[in-house]
Amino acid sequence: MVLQKRLDYGSSGYQVPAMPHVPRSARGKRSVRKKVENNQMCAFDLLATVAGKLLSERESSLTPCDITGTSNPTTEKDTVKQEQLDNEKPFKTEAFDQGGCDDGTLGSEIILYRLDSYTSKEHSQTPNAAASSPASAFIKSDNKDVFAGESIIRGEFGHSLGTSTTAQKCGARRCSPGSVESCVCEGDGIKTPLQAERRITGNLIAWSSPDMYSLEDLMDLDAKPPALVSSDSSAEVPPCRDHVPYNSFVPKRRDGMKFSVDRDDDENSSGCTNSGTITTNACKAPCIGDRRIKKLLASKYWKAAPTMSTDGELSNTDVEMKPFFRSRRMSCTRQRTQRSSFKRRKLFERCSMSASDGGIFREGISNPPGKGGIKVEASDSPVTLHGANGALSSATGQKSSCESGDYQVKLSIKSFKVPELFVEIPQNATVGSLKRTVLEAVTAILGRGLRVGVLLQGKKVRDDSKTLRQAGISHGEELDNLGFTLEPNPTQAPAPLTSPEDPHLLQPSDAIEPLSRIPPANPTADQGASDATPQPVLLTFIANCPESDHDSVHSPADVSYLDKTTANSRALVPVVPPMDVEALAVVPLRKPRHSEMVQRRIRRPFTVAEVEALVQAVEKLGTGRWRDVKLRAFENAKHRTYVDLKDKWKTLVHTARISPQQRRGEPVPQELLDRVLSAHAYWSQQQARLQVKPPPAETCLLL
DNA sequence: ATTAGGG
DNA sequence: CCCTAAT
């Protein structure tokens, strides 16, 4: 049996979206992975920054936080809500049935935990910092779970993780009926879910009003007027809104948000153009975050899936997703979505925070969930840094904008959530090992210096030598009452952290290595890390990357370059020093690493002209002589390899055979397709002849 | 390095 | 487009 448990830690505050979960089995791993990694980076960025703070000041305060405690206050309400949910949520039961996690027949030994987040104790530097806001919708929903949704979890955990999606629940409950319907409940196919995600995000964000943090107000929040929701549409705001003054930004969103969003979904996300500079880049590097979605989806459906199968389902989902990547639209959409979730924000409290306490909060919240951008507010002109590294930005270049002054980035973090983590551990493992496993995952993000505590039914499980089973932590048991805490680790000295301002140094190295070792968390975690590489370089590169067919040559090269860079940065952590490039080659283990960094070539659809040239060449040379075809017709198109041409021909033949309605992409003139067919037929015949001919000769001879 | 095919 | 196997 495989159990999954999602652990929510505390709540308020700074939260980082969960890490996307990517199956190893998924094909196209490289690219996917890469993307994920990037996404994750985003999260890590933030974390790194926060971590720096936390660790450096940890004396000040990490105290164990007990989710249970947090949620208790709301128990009553929750119960009520839960009932409502039950009624409102259609999905609830479905998943249940599918799951089949009921019995222990399967008797698997693995318990899979998913840490959605950890909440640190309030950690605030800014006195005034009214609030922290959730980094993403997801988180939001998570919060909700923690707060309001606790009962749900408790009630259902026994068998499964619950069925309805958090988001869904949230949506159903909190959104105005209309929105809920449209975004969550009625989803059809793929697109809807995504959209739903967005909307939900928005809604969630809305909820994250300061009030949200007071449990008592939950109900009120639920009842929040549509107005709020609409404003939420912020969720739909174009992801890239760098450098756009918040103030100006908000209004826009309200009006044309939808538009932006849609565009956002477009392949090139032209929508991004509207906003900032880097935006374009980010958008163009669409594939950077497919995973995110996964994460989102996973989260969304997390509860929906039966425990047992949840795991499997997730995996499957992941796997299944691959196909989606092929679809441009899907891919982009997803990415975008992902990105959006990975939003992180920072409040620049610097001096005169024009916004009132509440105001600030709101602003932060309304920050569009997209792009993992961090919102940074400078005294009078709030600035949104680009997501890949809000933190990074501040540290590196972007900072410049605010740098002139002695702007300091001050974060007021009431709490933060660590991206969800997956932990898989045998039931007969010891509590100690469970702790370590979780710790490993967490420290990967926060750095060393923290330790993990395990709470079972609100009580600390101190005996590390007990097995989980002995401790009562086993599948179907009180997993719902299981909690983890983050505590300062007196014995462990915090790993030297890069200054908070320089988070990205921290994460790539720190985060990745450890995470990769964590079994289940792996895919997700692993990948996420590098992709987020918000490295300006990357962004820049992408931006500069010419789209024209000619320069295509550069892109691959550049990409590889970047990859290497990334690799090296990673290498920092590992044993092998970055400089030992040579050594790396020698060490077999490293190689894989390297290769994993390889990014899939960018897709460059053939233009009609190219097709024409290809057809012509093949007509003349025949199939099977791709090198010649390449030389003849694509000599100068460095980015078209003979393999590409061969593949293209293959697809052309296929295209020519299917009905026009089934064709996608830039339509190829029928005339060309006809030629393709005839040429294909002709050369196929020739080929056949060649093969058949010899025999006859022999036959004759023999006869 | 090419070619052929499956994914 | 990627990946492999076989040339």
Side-chain angles (χ1 to χ4, degrees), chain A residues 56-292:
Chain A
S56 63
E57 303 175 12
R58 79 180 194 284
E59 316 105 289
S60 69
S61 62
L62 279 183
T63 56
C65 56
D66 171 346
I67 271 203
T68 306
T70 308
S71 53
N72 282 336
T74 44
T75 302
E76 262 188 33
K77 286 180 180 178
D78 288 345
T79 304
V80 176
K81 288 179 179 179
Q82 147 110 56
E83 291 179 7
Q84 297 176 339
L85 284 176
D86 287 334
N87 296 330
E88 296 175 305
K89 293 283 145 179
F91 329 88
K92 196 157 193 173
T93 6
E94 298 180 41
F96 238 8
D97 302 337
Q98 299 178 354
C101 55
D102 16 306
D103 59 332
T105 336
L106 297 179
S108 119
E109 306 275 358
I110 303 292
I111 295 179
L112 187 63
Y113 294 97
R114 168 165 163 172
L115 305 188
D116 235 311
S117 60
Y118 270 95
T119 300
S120 67
K121 180 158 190 201
E122 174 165 336
H123 176 91
S124 104
Q125 263 201 329
T126 321
N128 204 359
S132 41
S133 29
S136 76
F138 230 165
I139 300 293
K140 239 344 153 235
S141 52
D142 284 346
N143 275 343
K144 187 229 146 206
D145 277 343
V146 175
F147 288 160
E150 185 71 356
S151 60
I152 292 170
I153 293 173
R154 291 185 178 177
E156 302 173 4
F157 238 146
H159 312 259
S160 70
L161 289 175
T163 13
S164 53
T165 308
T166 300
Q168 289 176 329
K169 285 180 181 177
C170 295
R173 296 170 61 232
R174 315 225 180 195
C175 304
S176 61
S179 351
V180 175
E181 284 307 291
S182 58
C183 49
V184 183
C185 303
E186 290 188 357
D188 67 72
I190 300 162
K191 189 178 181 183
T192 306
L194 291 175
Q195 294 176 332
E197 187 67 55
R198 290 193 174 182
R199 299 199 67 155
I200 288 170
T201 301
N203 289 325
L204 290 172
I205 285 174
W207 306 339
S208 37
S209 60
D211 310 324
M212 179 143 185
Y213 296 108
S214 75
L215 301 177
E216 294 82 0
D217 291 321
L218 273 174
M219 290 310 261
D220 294 335
L221 286 172
D222 288 350
K224 280 212 165 162
L228 232 174
V229 173
S230 64
S231 65
D232 306 5
S233 4
S234 51
E236 300 187 358
V237 178
C240 326
R241 59 324 184 189
D242 312 332
H243 309 307
V244 178
Y246 177 77
N247 293 329
S248 60
F249 190 60
V250 175
K252 269 189 193 167
R253 281 203 247 139
R254 299 205 171 193
D255 303 332
M257 204 137 321
K258 190 76 181 178
F259 179 70
S260 300
V261 175
D262 291 344
R263 303 202 67 174
D264 188 23
D265 285 332
D266 286 23
E267 185 169 308
N268 289 323
S269 53
S270 39
C272 297
T273 313
N274 300 336
S275 25
T277 1
I278 294 182
T279 302
T280 310
N281 307 338
C283 295
K284 281 207 166 162
C287 307
I288 287 179
D290 289 353
R291 243 15 172 201
R292 167 152 236 291

Side-chain angles (χ1 to χ4, degrees), chain A residues 33 57 101 125 163 248 282 286 361 365 375 382 393 576 644 680:
Chain A
R33 251 185 124 90
E57 303 175 12
C101 55
Q125 263 201 329
T163 13
S248 60
F361 187 68
I365 291 169
K375 176 153 202 160
S393 308
V576 183
D644 292 330
H680 184 262

